[in-house]
Amino acid sequence: MKKNVGVVFGGRSVEHEVSIITGLQIMENIDKDKYDVVPIYINKEGKWLTGNGLFDFENFKHNNFEDTEEIMISPTHNDFNLYAIPNKAGIFRKKIVGKVDIIFPAIHGTNGEDGTIQGLFELMNVPYVGSNVLASSVGMDKILMKDVFKSNNLPIVDYTWFYRSKWIENREEILEEIENKLKYPLFIKPANLGSSVGISKAIDRNSLINGVEIAIRYDRKIIVEKAIENPREINCAVIGYDENLKTSLCEEPLGWQEFLSYEDKYVNSNAKYGGEERRRIPADIEDEIRAEIETIAKKSFKAIDGRGNARIDFLLDQKNKIYVNEINTMPGSIAYYLWEGKGISFKQLINEMIDIALKVYDEKE
Ligand code: ATP
Ligand code: MG
Ligand code: MG
Ligand code: MG
């Protein structure tokens, strides 16, 4: 019997638009012989919608949600049923609009990649694709992630961090701490974000202050890292759970300047949605380096107890020293392009991710 897969996308995060693309790509490429799709779109206000209007990219471009219904989820049911919210005031009329056997969250960043929505699915007792609550939240927080990588002896750049509240109270003290610990150039990042949003590079105290002022708009925790100068960026994905892990091809994103910006990643590089592909796959690196990257990728995945399919981002310095920069537990476009060259099609990748989720769910029972 076919299973109903609820693909959840959008979400209340600055990566909302990226998530729409990932969600649509998953719905387009899912194995239609095995699965029926129930599209679930979380709009920017946090409302949950379902309906046929959600299969078409044009509708998102024109903000046209005519062929959709707002839904609510009943936490009292073990089955993950979707109910339409009654629109006639005062009359409580529940109407089931969909039943979901498994959830495929395709949300990046806040409220989607950080363990919050995963917690909801745990409470609902519905199987879901990807990392669990713990791995998602550790993977999302660049400070905790680096702490965990460090304690697993994985190669990372030096870093320090502070609270926004302390910055507002006593920025001089923080500036001194940073400058005592790290040498310019530096990278300033909001701790819990993705897609390069809120990130800047600093070459001196002035640009450091400016960078922090940007970052604190997005987060209450800020991480400052030693910048690798003129790095090469190499990304590698890992799929699996527990000790059963395999790695994808490595990619090298190309064509960026100071650092890979939001525009480089999505606007300029997504052929189908108006950009051009700008990545070299496989990356042009020596076998030895590739092998080391694959080993560190698996170790990083395991360090946070990852599950499903994650993309691990690396930086290579001028001497080819490898640093693991971060793990993305729900990478853009589920990094399908890294698996194709390994003989795993987009469709097979989705199948594998769903199989892992169902297996882990069954083992839990
Ligand atoms: P995403 O999740 O989309 O990959 P992100 O917002 O989580 O991005 P990072 O990957 O940490 O952010 O950083 C964004 C980019 O900034 C990197 O791809 C790289 O180009 C650059 N960068 C980040 N940290 C450093 C560093 N320490 N040294 C040199 N470049 C860096
Ligand atoms: Mg990231
Ligand atoms: Mg991300
Ligand atoms: Mg990154």
Side-chain angles (χ1 to χ4, degrees):
M1 226 191 46
K2 277 202 197 178
K3 278 189 167 27
N4 290 329
V5 179
V7 178
V8 187
F9 59 101
R12 293 172 66 191
S13 117
V14 288
E15 293 175 277
H16 184 94
E17 280 73 21
V18 186
S19 166
I20 292 172
I21 294 176
T22 302
L24 289 173
Q25 287 174 324
I26 291 168
M27 297 197 293
E28 200 177 303
N29 288 284
I30 198 165
D31 194 337
K32 313 273 185 325
D33 295 332
K34 290 175 84 171
Y35 302 111
D36 285 322
V37 168
V38 181
I40 303 170
Y41 171 58
I42 305 178
N43 73 13
K44 283 188 172 165
E45 286 84 57
K47 285 189 178 150
W48 293 45
L49 306 174
T50 192
N52 287 330
L54 298 173
F55 288 107
D56 190 353
F57 186 53
E58 290 300 313
N59 289 340
F60 292 93
K61 282 211 291 211
H62 300 113
N63 247 322
N64 167 18
F65 298 107
E66 270 165 37
D67 199 5
T68 65
E69 284 179 283
E70 193 178 340
I71 53 170
M72 64 175 199
I73 299 152
S74 165
T76 54
H77 279 256
N78 239 8
D79 285 335
F80 197 94
N81 287 320
L82 308 180
Y83 299 95
I85 290 182
N87 50 16
K88 287 202 186 78
I91 306 166
F92 192 67
R93 216 167 20 91
K94 276 203 293 192
K95 180 181 132 209
I96 295 188
V97 290
K99 180 177 161 29
V100 175
D101 301 304
I102 176 163
I103 294 277
F104 200 129
I107 305 182
H108 313 299
T110 322
N111 293 326
E113 196 175 346
D114 61 358
T116 52
I117 210 166
Q118 287 77 8
L120 174 68
F121 303 144
E122 292 281 352
L123 283 173
M124 302 293 302
N125 196 24
V126 62
Y128 60 93
V129 170
S131 279
N132 67 7
V133 173
L134 179 71
S136 302
S137 49
V138 173
M140 194 71 224
D141 187 302
K142 288 181 160 58
I143 300 162
L144 284 167
M145 170 175 62
K146 289 220 155 78
D147 288 348
V148 170
F149 286 168
K150 197 165 154 185
S151 65
N152 281 274
N153 295 317
L154 296 168
I156 48 171
V157 296
D158 288 335
Y159 63 98
T160 183
W161 70 275
F162 56 88
Y163 287 115
R164 169 172 63 197
S165 55
K166 186 167 173 199
W167 173 262
I168 292 165
E169 255 166 48
N170 193 347
R171 78 159 64 166
E172 281 308 312
E173 195 182 317
I174 291 175
L175 286 168
E176 250 167 60
E177 268 171 29
I178 296 171
E179 287 173 343
N180 282 339
K181 195 166 173 200
L182 306 169
K183 284 201 174 61
Y184 293 103
L186 301 171
F187 263 85
I188 305 121
K189 308 176 183 179
N192 289 278
L193 228 70
S195 297
S196 298
V197 177
I199 294 187
S200 11
K201 190 178 175 183
I203 49 164
D204 54 22
R205 185 174 267 224
N206 258 340
S207 45
L208 173 60
I209 293 171
N210 289 339
V212 175
E213 290 295 330
I214 293 168
I216 60 172
R217 286 187 218 150
Y218 297 96
D219 207 330
R220 38 179 284 282
K221 282 161 71 188
I222 309 300
I223 181 169
V224 178
E225 303 175 358
K226 178 94 195 67
I228 305 292
E229 301 210 58
N230 304 313
R232 284 179 76 185
E233 302 209 26
I234 307 287
N235 303 334
C236 178
V238 172
I239 194 168
Y241 69 104
D242 295 358
E243 305 275 354
N244 316 302
L245 306 178
K246 59 185 180 202
T247 48
S248 71
L249 293 182
C250 292
E251 68 163 328
E252 178 169 13
L254 299 169
W256 46 278
Q257 261 139 35
E258 196 74 76
F259 61 93
L260 264 172
S261 68
Y262 185 90
E263 280 70 25
D264 289 331
K265 284 176 188 169
Y266 303 106
V267 185
N268 300 333
S269 74
N270 218 309
K272 184 164 173 200
Y273 299 97
E276 53 176 304
E277 295 292 336
R278 289 202 294 193
R279 41 171 73 100
R280 185 182 287 140
I281 305 173
D284 186 14
I285 44 175
E286 282 168 34
D287 279 350
E288 216 172 277
I289 294 170
R290 183 187 43 75
E292 202 179 329
I293 285 177
E294 287 174 0
T295 305
I296 302 171
K298 284 186 194 169
K299 282 186 182 165
S300 308
F301 189 95
K302 206 177 136 191
I304 66 156
D305 187 23
R307 176 186 305 163
N309 170 33
R311 194 191 78 225
I312 296 95
D313 296 350
F314 293 87
L315 297 166
L316 290 192
D317 73 8
Q318 296 283 299
K319 290 182 185 145
N320 272 339
K321 182 165 165 34
I322 300 166
Y323 296 90
V324 52
N325 178 34
E326 63 151 352
I327 185 163
N328 296 291
T329 52
M330 187 48 66
S333 303
I334 60 173
Y336 75 90
Y337 46 87
L338 294 179
W339 294 104
E340 283 179 339
K342 280 244 158 166
I344 298 172
S345 66
F346 204 148
K347 194 205 264 185
Q348 286 170 315
L349 176 63
I350 296 168
N351 276 340
E352 275 198 41
M353 291 172 76
I354 292 174
D355 288 347
I356 292 166
L358 292 173
K359 201 163 176 175
V360 170
Y361 181 82
D362 286 343
E363 281 172 13
K364 196 175 77 174
E365 295 293 284

